[in-house]
């Protein structure tokens, strides 16, 4: 397997590609229409208190779009249910549910680049992960021309078999990939470290005035100066600085100002970082994505988990080959993860190096108000990619289950600077 040469990917545990071909390079999202996503939803009915709508948006942050829809309807944002978070710089289609409104109410929502269509009704809301899959149509522009058709064909064949199921860079923050670092500090109850990282860690992709404000605060810890220097759009940072200006040293209180969903994202991003690191460690140690070993965990389509032993090894390999299950790694969390599995040594080592215990995923709930369960995630993904290569563009069409990243597929073709894929 080919090794990534990009420091950002290495820092996030994304060390390997499944394909050994040269990259075609290129750029994603030159225009929003280059990245289209459509949810494949479950079947809806004709009755129930929840109105089901098809939301199509272009170049809208999802949270901002839903809040604006709620404002136009005169309802709480919390009444809107959705199955997954969709990209901003894209054209995305998904189902949402809204409690207690009528189709006539939807006529009040007139927003540029947002379209709402009534689909039906349901007795329960749409919740995270309730969709069947996501269908993607992606255009990669400015690609290298040398050997393009052959490379695309080889990578498409690899994608049909197995690709490392990494959490993509979006999980950690596109411009500032710090979410997992903040989560690590939270789990260690290092509230000062978490707050300073969130407010003060500067990255090259930010504007110069933002980088200067962050660096200055990190050096001086002067909250009042920070309020003057931080631009108004950085509302969360400014709110934390206002708290620190009136409550010197109360970093926990400053963090508590952030919405629970954001605090939860920090901890779940750390779980994702652990998964990426453990997956790359498995490959480094000679393990493959499709050959189970004693101690491995198997995850079946119906959610059942099993453990590979010397006695059932032959059957385990057969089940994986037939696509009935995948090898999985378990991310640590509150719920007990059962007997020691093959990935547990790696996870335990990573946690120990960071000074974190599994019980810390339970104690952080007091601040974050979220229970962080342990969860098994397949180490590989596969999909039948329809790939068309033009003069300097490649168009990819494929579907993935919820929780898997389209950029993981694009990454196999491009092997480019990850900042070209955001």
């Amino acid at each position: 397997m080919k090794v990534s040469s990009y420091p950002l990917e290495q820092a996030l545990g994304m060390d390997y590609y499944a394909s050994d071909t040269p990259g075609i390079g290129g750029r994603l999202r030159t225009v929003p229409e280059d990245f289209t996503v459509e949810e494949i939803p479950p079947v809806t009915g004709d009755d129930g208190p929840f109105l089901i709508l098809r939301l199509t948006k272009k170049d809208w942050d999802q949270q901002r779009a839903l809040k604006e829809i709620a404002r136009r309807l005169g309802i709480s944002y919390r009444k809107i249910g959705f199955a997954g978070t969709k990209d901003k710089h894209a054209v995305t289609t998904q189902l949402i549910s809204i409690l207690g409104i009528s189709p006539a109410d939807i006529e009040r929502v007139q927003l540029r680049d947002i379209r709402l269509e009534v689909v039906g009704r349901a007795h329960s809301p749409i919740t995270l992960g309730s969709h069947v899959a996501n269908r993607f149509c992606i255009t990669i522009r400015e690609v290298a021309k040398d050997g393009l058709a052959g490379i695309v064909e080889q990578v498409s064949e690899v994608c049909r078999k197995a690709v490392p199921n990494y959490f993509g860079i979006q999980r950690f923050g596109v411009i500032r990939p710090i979410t997992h670092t903040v989560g690590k500090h939270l789990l260690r109850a290092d509230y000062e470290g978490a707050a300073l990282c969130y407010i003060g860690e500067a990255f090259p992709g930010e504007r110069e005035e933002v980088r200067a404000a962050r660096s200055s605060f990190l050096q001086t810890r002067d909250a009042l100066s920070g309020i003057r220097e931080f631009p108004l759009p950085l509302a969360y940072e400014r709110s934390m600085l206002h708290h620190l200006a009136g409550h010197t040293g109360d970093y926990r209180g400053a963090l508590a100002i952030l919405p629970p969903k954001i605090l939860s994202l920090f901890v779940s991003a750390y779980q994702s970082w652990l998964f990426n690191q453990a997956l790359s460690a498995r490959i480094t140690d000679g393990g493959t994505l499709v050959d189970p070993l004693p101690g491995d965990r198997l995850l079946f389509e119906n959610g059942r988990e099993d453990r590979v032993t010397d006695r059932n090894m032959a059957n385990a390999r057969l089940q994986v080959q037939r696509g009935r299950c995948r090898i999985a790694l378990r991310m640590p969390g509150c719920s007990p993860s059962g007997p020691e599995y093959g990935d547990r040594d790696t996870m335990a080592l990573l946690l120990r190096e960071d000074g974190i215990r599994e019980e810390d995923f339970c104690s952080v709930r007091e601040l974050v108000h979220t229970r962080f369960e342990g969860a098994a995630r397949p180490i590989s993904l596969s999909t039948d990619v329809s790939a068309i290569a033009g003069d300097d563009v490649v168009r990819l069409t494929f579907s993935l289950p919820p929780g898997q990243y389209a950029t993981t597929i694009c990454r196999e073709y491009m092997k480019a600077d990850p900042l070209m894929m955001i």
Side-chain angles (χ1 to χ4, degrees), residues 182-293:
V182 177
K184 177 176 69 175
H185 287 302
L186 289 178
L187 286 163
R188 292 161 54 178
D190 176 13
Y191 304 124
E192 180 179 2
L196 292 178
C197 181
Y198 183 75
I199 298 172
E201 194 71 33
F203 278 81
E206 298 180 283
R207 300 195 312 273
E208 174 58 35
E209 62 173 329
V210 175
R211 294 200 307 271
R214 293 194 193 280
S215 299
S216 176
F217 173 73
L218 197 60
Q219 182 177 6
T220 66
R221 313 285 178 91
D222 187 337
L224 286 174
S225 294
I227 293 170
R228 291 192 294 268
E229 295 173 2
F230 270 67
L232 291 177
L234 299 182
Y236 289 144
E237 288 92 335
R238 289 177 58 84
S239 295
M240 294 173 69
L241 288 168
H242 274 287
H243 180 88
L244 291 171
H247 305 81
T248 303
D250 181 19
Y251 294 103
R252 189 185 189 282
L255 289 163
I257 289 175
L258 296 174
K261 284 188 177 180
I262 291 182
L263 292 172
S264 174
L265 175 65
F266 296 147
V267 178
S268 62
Y270 179 71
Q271 291 176 307
S272 303
W273 179 85
L274 288 172
F275 176 89
N276 282 2
Q277 295 287 345
L279 173 50
S280 287
R282 176 191 177 90
I283 298 171
T284 299
D285 292 341
T288 76
L289 301 175
V290 295
D291 297 311
L293 300 169

Side-chain angles (χ1 to χ4, degrees), residues 339-394:
E340 295 295 310
Y341 284 84
D343 62 289
R344 299 285 293 154
D345 290 341
T346 301
M347 291 292 186
L349 177 61
L350 290 167
L351 289 170
R352 188 162 58 247
E353 288 177 345
D354 285 341
I356 294 172
R357 305 160 301 169
E358 282 204 75
E359 51 262 39
D360 293 331
F361 288 91
C362 300
S363 58
V364 76
R365 184 179 183 182
E366 182 181 346
L367 173 65
V368 179
H369 306 296
T370 302
R371 180 178 173 85
F372 295 95
E373 304 285 357
R377 177 180 173 88
I379 66 173
S380 68
L381 65 84
S382 60
T383 183
D384 189 2
V385 182
S386 172
I388 301 175
D391 287 340
D392 60 353
V393 301
V394 171

Side-chain angles (χ1 to χ4, degrees), residues 15 22 63 116 126 153 155 180-181 262 286 288 294 308 327 366:
D15 291 351
Q63 187 177 31
L116 288 171
I126 294 175
E153 183 179 352
V155 176
H180 62 297
T181 305
I262 291 182
T288 76
V308 180
I327 304 167
E366 182 181 346

Side-chain angles (χ1 to χ4, degrees), residues 101-115:
I101 66 167
S102 69
D105 294 326
I106 300 303
E107 296 178 4
R108 301 203 304 268
V109 182
Q110 300 294 327
L111 294 165
R112 183 176 180 179
D113 293 328
I114 285 182
R115 186 171 73 252

